[in-house]
PDB file of all heavy atoms in Angstrom:
ATOM      1  N   PRO B  42      -1.420  10.841  30.264  1.00  0.00           N
ATOM      2  CA  PRO B  42      -0.868  10.880  31.628  1.00  0.00           C
ATOM      3  C   PRO B  42      -1.876  10.406  32.671  1.00  0.00           C
ATOM      4  O   PRO B  42      -1.486   9.832  33.688  1.00  0.00           O
ATOM      5  CB  PRO B  42      -0.532  12.371  31.830  1.00  0.00           C
ATOM      6  CG  PRO B  42      -0.396  12.925  30.456  1.00  0.00           C
ATOM      7  CD  PRO B  42      -1.341  12.143  29.605  1.00  0.00           C
ATOM      8  N   VAL B  43      -3.160  10.657  32.409  1.00  0.00           N
ATOM      9  CA  VAL B  43      -4.192  10.228  33.355  1.00  0.00           C
ATOM     10  C   VAL B  43      -4.485   8.748  33.180  1.00  0.00           C
ATOM     11  O   VAL B  43      -4.679   8.006  34.148  1.00  0.00           O
ATOM     12  CB  VAL B  43      -5.486  11.042  33.129  1.00  0.00           C
ATOM     13  CG1 VAL B  43      -6.516  10.707  34.193  1.00  0.00           C
ATOM     14  CG2 VAL B  43      -5.179  12.527  33.079  1.00  0.00           C
ATOM     15  N   LEU B  44      -4.512   8.300  31.912  1.00  0.00           N
ATOM     16  CA  LEU B  44      -4.915   6.928  31.624  1.00  0.00           C
ATOM     17  C   LEU B  44      -3.808   5.917  31.946  1.00  0.00           C
ATOM     18  O   LEU B  44      -4.079   4.805  32.371  1.00  0.00           O
ATOM     19  CB  LEU B  44      -5.291   6.794  30.141  1.00  0.00           C
ATOM     20  CG  LEU B  44      -6.540   7.542  29.691  1.00  0.00           C
ATOM     21  CD1 LEU B  44      -6.671   7.497  28.176  1.00  0.00           C
ATOM     22  CD2 LEU B  44      -7.778   6.931  30.341  1.00  0.00           C
ATOM     23  N   ALA B  45      -2.576   6.306  31.726  1.00  0.00           N
ATOM     24  CA  ALA B  45      -1.481   5.351  31.865  1.00  0.00           C
ATOM     25  C   ALA B  45      -1.286   4.976  33.328  1.00  0.00           C
ATOM     26  O   ALA B  45      -1.200   5.850  34.190  1.00  0.00           O
ATOM     27  CB  ALA B  45      -0.200   5.948  31.302  1.00  0.00           C
ATOM     28  N   PRO B  46      -1.230   3.663  33.593  1.00  0.00           N
ATOM     29  CA  PRO B  46      -1.069   3.225  34.980  1.00  0.00           C
ATOM     30  C   PRO B  46       0.351   3.466  35.522  1.00  0.00           C
ATOM     31  O   PRO B  46       0.551   3.533  36.719  1.00  0.00           O
ATOM     32  CB  PRO B  46      -1.391   1.736  34.933  1.00  0.00           C
ATOM     33  CG  PRO B  46      -1.207   1.341  33.512  1.00  0.00           C
ATOM     34  CD  PRO B  46      -1.458   2.548  32.673  1.00  0.00           C
ATOM     35  N   HIS B  47       1.319   3.555  34.640  1.00  0.00           N
ATOM     36  CA  HIS B  47       2.705   3.707  35.108  1.00  0.00           C
ATOM     37  C   HIS B  47       3.375   4.860  34.387  1.00  0.00           C
ATOM     38  O   HIS B  47       2.884   5.368  33.390  1.00  0.00           O
ATOM     39  CB  HIS B  47       3.517   2.433  34.813  1.00  0.00           C
ATOM     40  CG  HIS B  47       3.076   1.260  35.600  1.00  0.00           C
ATOM     41  ND1 HIS B  47       3.551   0.975  36.867  1.00  0.00           N
ATOM     42  CD2 HIS B  47       2.189   0.276  35.308  1.00  0.00           C
ATOM     43  CE1 HIS B  47       2.973  -0.124  37.313  1.00  0.00           C
ATOM     44  NE2 HIS B  47       2.138  -0.571  36.394  1.00  0.00           N
ATOM     45  N   ASP B  48       4.559   5.197  34.865  1.00  0.00           N
ATOM     46  CA  ASP B  48       5.418   6.129  34.161  1.00  0.00           C
ATOM     47  C   ASP B  48       6.015   5.391  32.963  1.00  0.00           C
ATOM     48  O   ASP B  48       6.600   4.321  33.132  1.00  0.00           O
ATOM     49  CB  ASP B  48       6.524   6.588  35.124  1.00  0.00           C
ATOM     50  CG  ASP B  48       7.511   7.534  34.453  1.00  0.00           C
ATOM     51  OD1 ASP B  48       7.477   7.657  33.213  1.00  0.00           O
ATOM     52  OD2 ASP B  48       8.314   8.137  35.180  1.00  0.00           O
ATOM     53  N   PRO B  49       5.858   5.932  31.745  1.00  0.00           N
ATOM     54  CA  PRO B  49       6.320   5.191  30.555  1.00  0.00           C
ATOM     55  C   PRO B  49       7.828   5.029  30.512  1.00  0.00           C
ATOM     56  O   PRO B  49       8.338   4.202  29.768  1.00  0.00           O
ATOM     57  CB  PRO B  49       5.844   6.063  29.385  1.00  0.00           C
ATOM     58  CG  PRO B  49       5.681   7.429  29.973  1.00  0.00           C
ATOM     59  CD  PRO B  49       5.254   7.210  31.377  1.00  0.00           C
ATOM     60  N   LEU B  50       8.563   5.811  31.280  1.00  0.00           N
ATOM     61  CA  LEU B  50      10.021   5.739  31.226  1.00  0.00           C
ATOM     62  C   LEU B  50      10.609   5.014  32.435  1.00  0.00           C
ATOM     63  O   LEU B  50      11.781   4.631  32.420  1.00  0.00           O
ATOM     64  CB  LEU B  50      10.625   7.143  31.128  1.00  0.00           C
ATOM     65  CG  LEU B  50      10.169   7.973  29.924  1.00  0.00           C
ATOM     66  CD1 LEU B  50      10.814   9.345  29.936  1.00  0.00           C
ATOM     67  CD2 LEU B  50      10.489   7.246  28.617  1.00  0.00           C
ATOM     68  N   ALA B  51       9.801   4.833  33.477  1.00  0.00           N
ATOM     69  CA  ALA B  51      10.321   4.219  34.710  1.00  0.00           C
ATOM     70  C   ALA B  51      10.638   2.744  34.471  1.00  0.00           C
ATOM     71  O   ALA B  51       9.839   1.996  33.919  1.00  0.00           O
ATOM     72  CB  ALA B  51       9.305   4.363  35.830  1.00  0.00           C
ATOM     73  N   GLN B  52      11.839   2.349  34.908  1.00  0.00           N
ATOM     74  CA  GLN B  52      12.264   0.955  34.700  1.00  0.00           C
ATOM     75  C   GLN B  52      12.160   0.209  36.020  1.00  0.00           C
ATOM     76  O   GLN B  52      13.132  -0.353  36.501  1.00  0.00           O
ATOM     77  CB  GLN B  52      13.690   0.939  34.170  1.00  0.00           C
ATOM     78  CG  GLN B  52      13.850   1.830  32.938  1.00  0.00           C
ATOM     79  CD  GLN B  52      15.276   1.881  32.462  1.00  0.00           C
ATOM     80  OE1 GLN B  52      16.161   1.227  32.995  1.00  0.00           O
ATOM     81  NE2 GLN B  52      15.516   2.652  31.409  1.00  0.00           N
ATOM     82  N   ASP B  53      10.934   0.198  36.596  1.00  0.00           N
ATOM     83  CA  ASP B  53      10.825  -0.343  37.951  1.00  0.00           C
ATOM     84  C   ASP B  53      10.008  -1.626  38.021  1.00  0.00           C
ATOM     85  O   ASP B  53       9.693  -2.107  39.089  1.00  0.00           O
ATOM     86  CB  ASP B  53      10.240   0.727  38.883  1.00  0.00           C
ATOM     87  CG  ASP B  53       8.966   1.327  38.315  1.00  0.00           C
ATOM     88  OD1 ASP B  53       8.525   0.864  37.233  1.00  0.00           O
ATOM     89  OD2 ASP B  53       8.424   2.254  38.920  1.00  0.00           O
ATOM     90  N   LEU B  54       9.672  -2.199  36.869  1.00  0.00           N
ATOM     91  CA  LEU B  54       8.893  -3.444  36.900  1.00  0.00           C
ATOM     92  C   LEU B  54       9.811  -4.605  36.537  1.00  0.00           C
ATOM     93  O   LEU B  54      10.905  -4.393  36.009  1.00  0.00           O
ATOM     94  CB  LEU B  54       7.742  -3.351  35.898  1.00  0.00           C
ATOM     95  CG  LEU B  54       6.640  -2.341  36.257  1.00  0.00           C
ATOM     96  CD1 LEU B  54       5.735  -2.109  35.075  1.00  0.00           C
ATOM     97  CD2 LEU B  54       5.851  -2.841  37.453  1.00  0.00           C
ATOM     98  N   PRO B  55       9.382  -5.840  36.802  1.00  0.00           N
ATOM     99  CA  PRO B  55      10.180  -6.991  36.377  1.00  0.00           C
ATOM    100  C   PRO B  55      10.382  -6.948  34.867  1.00  0.00           C
ATOM    101  O   PRO B  55       9.507  -6.496  34.131  1.00  0.00           O
ATOM    102  CB  PRO B  55       9.343  -8.199  36.790  1.00  0.00           C
ATOM    103  CG  PRO B  55       8.030  -7.669  37.243  1.00  0.00           C
ATOM    104  CD  PRO B  55       8.203  -6.237  37.562  1.00  0.00           C
TER     105      PRO B  55
END
Side-chain angles (χ1 to χ4, degrees):
Chain B
V43 186
L44 293 171
H47 293 273
D48 178 348
L50 302 179
Q52 307 177 3
D53 51 3
L54 292 167

